[in-house]
Amino acid sequence: MPGISRHYVLAAGGTGGHLTPAFALAHALERRGHHVALITDERGAAIPGKPDFLTAHVLPAGRFGKNPLGWPKAIGAVLEGKRQARQIYDTFEPSCVVGFGGYPALPALLAARSAGIGTVIHEQNAVLGRVNRLLAGRVDAIATAYPQVDRLKPAYQGKVHLIGNPVRPGVLSLRDEPFPPFTADGLFRVLVTGGSQGASVLSEVVPDGLSMLPTALRSRLQVTQQCRPEDLEKVRERYAKHGIAAELATYFEDMAAQLADAHLFIGRAGASTIAELTAVGRPAILVPLPIATDDHQAANTREMVAAGGARAIRQTGFTAKELAKQIQAMAMHPETLATAAHAAFNCGRPKAAEDLADLVESFGGDTIQDVIRVAGDARSLSPSREASGQAAKDLAKERAE
C-alpha cells in the first residue's frame, strides 16, 4: 500500500549483469520510501555503482563445479548461507526477497521460502539461468526481460510477468531524445564495445570490416571503440593504416554519452547491452559470446533481430567481409538506418524498474506477514534442512550435465 514503509532484500551474484537490475530496483524502492538490503558475494559488495544506502551482506553460497567431489562442501555452504540469511530476516523483517540469479540468490531465496516471506526472481536473459531454474517452482512470481524465455517450464507461466531489464537513469533519459541526424553527407558514428572486459574478436575484425565499406560510408566514419589493454595499440595502428578516425579506450566511464551520439552499435549481446540499446533506440550488429552459458546471448538477440532493429552474426561467421556486408545493408541509405533505430526503440521497456517495483510491492505485504507470524505455524510452511540440501544437490547435478 502506498505510504507504508517496508523492508526488502535483493539477492544477486557479484557480476554487473546480475547487479545492474538489482541496483535499479533498489533505487526505485528507496524512492518509494522503503528500506532495502543486498545479499551478494565479495565481488558484489565491492562492485562500483552500488547505492550508498544499500547495505550489503556477504553470505556463503557455494559454487557447484562439474566435479562431484566438491558438491558436499558447496551444499554445506548453501545451508550455512541459508542459516545466516534467516538471521538477517529475523532482524530486518523483509516483506519480500528478490533474486536476480547467481549463487548467492540460492540460500537467500530458500531462507525466505522457509520463513514464509514473499519471493520473486528476475531473469535478465532469454534463457532461464541455472539458479533461477531451480527456484522457479518455489517462488511467488517470475519477472522476465523477454516475451520468450527458454528453459522456463510451461507450468510456471501463470506467475510470469514480462518486465524487461531495468536501465541506468543516465541511459534511460536518452529515450526522449531523437535519433541523431544521419544524412547522406554527414558523419557516420559507430560505437564498438565488447562488454566490461572488451572482446578481442572485435579488435581483430571491426577495423578491417569498416575499411571495406564503400567510400561514401567509409569517408564519413567516426569510430569509438573499447579495446582490451593488450589490443589497444594494434587496433590504433589498423585504423591509422585505413585512414579511419577512431577514438579508442579500455573503458568508457560515461556510456550514456557514447550512446547519445552513436548511429550504429557493434558488440556483444549481454542482457544489459540489449536493454540499453532498445531503451535508447540504437540499431546494432550483435556478435553473441559463443561461450555464454546455454548460449543465452544468442537468445537475447531474437526479439531485436525479429523486429528489424539489429542483425546478429555468429562469431564463427564474423569476418571483415561479412561485417561490411551487414553494415552496408543497414546504413547505405539514411532512411534504412533510421527505420532500424525505430524498430530497436519499439523493443524497449523503459518502465522496467518501476514495473518490477510494483510487482515486488504486491507480494508479502506487512498485513500478510503478521498473519503468517501470529496465526500460522511457521514450521509447517518451512521446508526442512534436508529439502534445502536437496535443492542444492539438484543444482549441482544440473551443473554437471
Side-chain angles (χ1 to χ4, degrees):
M1 295 175 59
I4 296 178
S5 178
R6 296 175 180 164
H7 293 183
Y8 294 97
V9 171
L10 314 183
T15 66
H18 295 308
L19 285 168
T20 295
F23 293 164
L25 176 61
H27 280 294
L29 292 172
E30 196 266 345
R31 285 194 298 269
R32 299 182 185 198
H34 302 305
H35 302 282
V36 191
L38 174 70
I39 287 177
T40 187
D41 54 25
E42 292 181 356
R43 294 179 303 164
I47 199 168
K50 184 177 73 67
D52 293 337
F53 62 81
L54 190 61
T55 301
H57 301 273
V58 176
L59 267 60
R63 290 187 172 275
F64 295 90
K66 292 186 177 182
N67 185 354
L69 294 178
W71 294 355
K73 181 178 179 181
I75 292 170
V78 169
L79 294 173
E80 175 59 21
K82 179 192 170 191
R83 185 190 68 79
Q84 292 184 26
R86 282 295 300 267
Q87 289 182 332
I88 294 170
Y89 302 160
D90 287 344
T91 302
F92 194 63
E93 295 188 324
S95 294
C96 186
V97 177
V98 188
F100 290 86
Y103 288 114
L106 180 58
L109 270 294
L110 291 175
R113 183 171 178 268
S114 72
I117 299 169
T119 51
V120 176
I121 56 173
H122 179 271
E123 178 55 57
Q124 300 87 52
N125 294 296
V127 181
L128 202 63
R130 288 195 177 104
V131 169
N132 279 349
R133 285 202 295 272
L134 180 67
L135 294 167
R138 297 169 165 86
V139 297
D140 295 310
I142 302 168
T144 64
Y146 297 93
Q148 178 185 346
V149 178
D150 297 346
R151 306 200 71 170
L152 177 58
K153 294 181 179 179
Y156 304 150
Q157 287 299 324
K159 56 183 175 181
V160 171
H161 302 259
L162 177 58
I163 296 293
N165 270 320
V167 172
R168 293 172 287 185
V171 172
L172 191 58
S173 66
L174 298 176
R175 189 169 176 84
D176 296 327
E177 302 296 326
F179 184 62
F182 181 64
T183 62
D185 55 0
L187 287 174
F188 178 28
R189 298 187 183 93
V190 176
L191 174 63
V192 186
T193 74
S196 60
Q197 299 299 316
S200 289
V201 68
L202 299 176
S203 296
E204 294 167 3
V205 173
V206 174
D208 292 345
L210 294 176
S211 74
M212 294 181 180
L213 292 175
T215 303
L217 278 178
R218 189 179 66 248
S219 62
R220 299 187 284 125
L221 277 170
Q222 186 173 76
V223 181
T224 302
Q225 182 164 347
Q226 175 205 21
C227 306
R228 289 183 175 181
E230 62 269 26
D231 296 333
L232 197 62
E233 288 309 313
K234 176 180 64 177
V235 176
R236 197 185 308 279
E237 291 173 4
R238 286 194 181 186
Y239 278 121
K241 175 184 176 182
H242 298 315
I244 296 173
E247 177 188 354
L248 309 178
T250 57
Y251 178 74
F252 292 107
E253 189 167 327
D254 190 355
M255 188 54 66
Q258 304 301 334
L259 278 171
D261 293 333
H263 295 113
L264 178 67
F265 172 88
I266 303 172
R268 293 299 195 194
S272 294
T273 296
I274 300 288
E276 293 187 349
L277 291 172
T278 56
V280 176
R282 293 297 183 269
I285 294 176
L286 302 169
V287 187
L289 179 68
I291 60 171
T293 304
D294 297 317
D295 201 21
H296 67 255
Q297 286 204 4
N300 289 349
T301 69
R302 288 186 306 224
E303 183 184 25
M304 199 174 172
V305 169
R311 291 172 180 245
I313 306 174
R314 286 285 191 175
Q315 186 161 312
T316 52
F318 185 56
T319 63
K321 185 176 180 180
E322 180 62 21
L323 176 61
K325 174 185 173 183
Q326 297 298 338
I327 294 174
Q328 287 182 69
M330 296 184 76
M332 276 302 289
H333 303 288
E335 63 274 13
T336 306
L337 197 62
T339 299
H342 186 66
F345 182 90
N346 286 340
C347 292
R349 296 182 175 88
K351 296 182 180 180
E354 296 303 323
D355 288 346
L356 184 56
D358 288 344
L359 175 63
V360 169
E361 281 187 323
S362 73
F363 285 91
D366 292 335
T367 302
I368 296 175
Q369 283 297 310
D370 288 340
V371 170
I372 291 174
R373 274 199 294 268
V374 176
D377 180 354
R379 287 172 297 179
S380 69
L381 298 174
S382 303
S384 67
R385 177 181 176 89
E386 288 76 15
S388 298
Q390 183 59 47
K393 290 177 183 177
D394 292 343
L395 179 63
K397 181 179 178 181
E398 182 176 290
R399 179 68 182 86
E401 292 175 349

